Amino acid sequence: MITTKVGRLRLAHHHLTGGKKMNLTRTIAASAFLALSGLMAAPVAAQVAPPSPVMSAASQSPGSLYVTYVAAWIEQVQKAFNGLTISQEPGGAAQNIVLVNNGDTDFGISNGPQAYQAVHGFGWTNGETYDKIAALHPAYPALTSVFTLASSDIEMLADLNGRNVGIGLPGGGSDVVSGQLFEHLGITPSQRIAGSWEDTAGMLRDGLVDAVFYLAGHPAGFIQELEIGRELRFIGLEAADMESFLEAYPYYGTGTLKAGVYTGITEDMPTLVQMNFMFGRPDLPDDFVTALLESVYDNVDGLAAVHPDFVNTSFENVANIPVPFHPAAEKFYADRSVKMNVPAAPEAPK
């Protein structure tokens, strides 16, 4: 066989570059696979267009935990959707319901009792119905705690008969719920005394109130400070009393004060809950709501990094939201076997 110079050069080129061509081919294929994998792994929200590039969420006045939660929530949701900007608007638990119902904002935060009353047109609504809202997911709970000084002879709720009880600011959750619970259980304090929580702590120290009824997030700074100089006794709620109360007031729920949240709580303590939750317009697109829920639940750690109570944005707390869910949210939870517990309209509203 005779090989020409040109032939030898081509043969040599083949031996020298054949492996490189193979490696190059493999590199291109691998790069394409990785790119496709990256696309497939991208958050669903990044592939869903929001209904508008600019949306809004109503919270409350500065200094409220509502403002803190909604700000953290906005940051997480904006990261999930390309090109989405959400403004935070002032409001309040009741006002936010009105804003979303009227289409003035896209999202809002409120609590179960006020939302349930709004949807069914009683209580604070003065007969107006605000049912153009759709629940999305829980935010964090307000848990009931009742406590006194360890030196007190108060050991159960019935011992509050004839006693002075601190209930926080007039018209606040602690004021409202304590009144409902005491009436339901037939407990008649001598006085329910209103005031700031700092003042209430001082009144307990000085013997001006015998016990404190507190419904909000935990741990509470004023209780922690109170425990520095005083030993406290926390009064549990009987299971039968809570069950009976929830039959009469189905827009509350149940939760747990965790052992160690205060020095005086040495084991988990079941209690009543007022659930704070996020809601939105009922006409938000289904694919957008589904993607939003996925992004929120995938980033609860980010919420909890802002405030430890925000870890309660969880499937477990969905059952404590007492108003109808957005259809896409309802399917989202049903597909994951997450319990929903939306009570029927009340026969005799309270």
Side-chain angles (χ1 to χ4, degrees):
M1 177 178 178
I2 299 173
T3 304
T4 65
K5 185 176 180 181
V6 174
R8 286 196 298 271
L9 289 172
R10 287 176 176 167
L11 185 61
H13 179 72
H14 171 78
H15 286 298
L16 288 171
T17 62
K20 292 182 179 179
K21 286 181 179 178
M22 183 66 72
N23 289 338
L24 180 61
T25 302
R26 288 175 177 166
T27 300
I28 293 171
S31 299
F33 174 78
L34 289 172
L36 180 59
S37 298
L39 178 61
M40 293 173 64
V44 174
Q47 304 170 38
V48 175
S52 171
V54 179
M55 304 182 79
S56 58
S59 59
Q60 204 168 37
S61 57
S64 163
L65 197 56
Y66 271 8
V67 172
T68 307
Y69 185 89
V70 173
W73 181 87
I74 286 174
E75 182 178 359
Q76 297 295 340
V77 174
Q78 286 182 159
K79 286 179 181 177
F81 291 91
N82 293 329
L84 176 61
T85 299
I86 303 176
S87 64
Q88 182 167 192
E89 306 297 333
Q95 186 177 352
N96 297 344
I97 293 169
V98 177
L99 289 170
V100 173
N101 181 88
N102 294 346
D104 296 320
T105 60
D106 302 288
F107 307 102
I109 186 170
S110 190
N111 61 64
Q114 287 185 292
Y116 184 85
Q117 292 172 22
V119 167
H120 298 293
F122 70 98
W124 66 269
T125 71
N126 295 318
E128 293 289 331
T129 298
Y130 300 97
D131 57 0
K132 296 181 179 64
I133 64 170
L136 297 173
H137 63 78
Y140 61 93
L143 296 111
T144 298
S145 62
V146 182
F147 60 91
T148 184
L149 297 178
S151 57
S152 168
D153 61 354
I154 297 173
E155 296 184 351
M156 59 183 67
L157 284 184
D159 294 335
L160 296 178
N161 276 301
R163 304 298 184 96
N164 293 330
V165 181
I167 45 84
L169 295 175
S174 302
D175 180 9
V176 172
V177 179
S178 64
Q180 293 171 331
L181 183 63
F182 292 160
E183 180 181 8
H184 181 77
L185 298 179
I187 295 171
T188 308
S190 175
Q191 296 182 85
R192 292 191 307 124
I193 299 176
S196 72
W197 290 118
E198 289 74 15
D199 289 344
T200 300
M203 287 189 283
L204 182 65
R205 277 194 303 264
D206 298 338
L208 300 176
V209 300
D210 301 295
V212 174
F213 190 108
Y214 176 72
L215 174 73
H218 296 272
F222 85 97
I223 300 178
Q224 291 175 314
E225 291 176 9
L226 188 56
E227 281 196 309
I228 293 174
R230 296 287 191 279
E231 185 180 351
L232 301 180
R233 175 186 299 127
F234 287 80
I235 311 301
L237 279 67
E238 297 292 334
D241 288 344
M242 287 196 290
E243 183 178 351
S244 172
F245 181 76
L246 291 174
E247 288 180 2
Y249 298 91
Y251 41 84
Y252 293 103
T254 58
T256 303
L257 281 165
K258 296 293 185 181
V261 66
Y262 302 112
T263 305
I265 298 181
T266 56
E267 57 184 31
D268 287 356
M269 182 177 288
T271 191
L272 293 171
V273 164
Q274 174 178 280
M275 184 56 62
N276 298 298
F277 68 99
M278 293 296 298
F279 59 95
R281 299 193 331 260
D283 62 349
L284 291 172
D286 287 358
D287 60 345
F288 173 72
V289 169
T290 300
L292 183 149
L293 290 172
E294 289 180 350
S295 68
V296 168
Y297 283 111
D298 285 347
N299 292 284
V300 172
D301 287 347
L303 295 174
V306 176
H307 190 285
D309 229 13
F310 298 168
V311 74
N312 289 294
T313 298
S314 64
F315 286 164
E316 180 183 3
N317 285 319
V318 170
N320 284 326
I321 298 176
V323 298
F325 287 83
H326 189 285
E330 188 172 349
K331 182 178 186 304
F332 177 89
Y333 294 122
D335 288 348
R336 291 158 177 79
S337 300
V338 175
K339 181 182 178 182
M340 291 168 280
N341 186 30
V342 180
E347 294 181 5
K350 290 188 178 183

